[in-house]
Amino acid sequence: NYAKAVQYYELAVGQSGRNAELRIALGDAYLKTLAYDEALEQYKAAKDHGSLKADSRIARVEKRTGG
């Protein structure tokens, strides 16, 4: 269940907040729970930490939210 995944990834990000892959995973879990603002925040943080996956995910959230 994605709500449970959010909890686990939040803990993991809290332990190693600079890990871009964990932020992508947390953003994905937020996206699945329709928490678009939170997903976007995590994707942007992942981008700041060098993730090459972030841009496509940011675009996906912005498309869904009209941003």
Side-chain angles (χ1 to χ4, degrees), residues 2-65:
Y2 292 109
K4 193 61 112 174
V6 165
Q7 292 176 339
Y8 289 123
Y9 283 122
E10 284 177 342
L11 288 172
V13 165
Q15 294 295 315
S16 62
R18 299 187 62 87
N19 186 310
E21 290 303 312
L22 285 175
R23 288 189 176 272
I24 289 288
L26 178 55
D28 290 347
Y30 278 136
L31 188 64
K32 294 290 187 180
T33 62
L34 308 179
Y36 297 125
D37 291 339
E38 291 84 353
L40 188 58
E41 179 182 329
Q42 293 306 315
Y43 294 148
K44 287 180 177 180
K47 182 177 179 173
D48 290 344
H49 294 304
S51 174
L52 300 176
K53 299 176 183 178
D55 284 335
S56 64
R57 284 173 164 87
I58 290 168
R60 184 182 312 150
V61 173
E62 289 177 343
K63 183 177 178 181
R64 289 187 185 188
T65 61

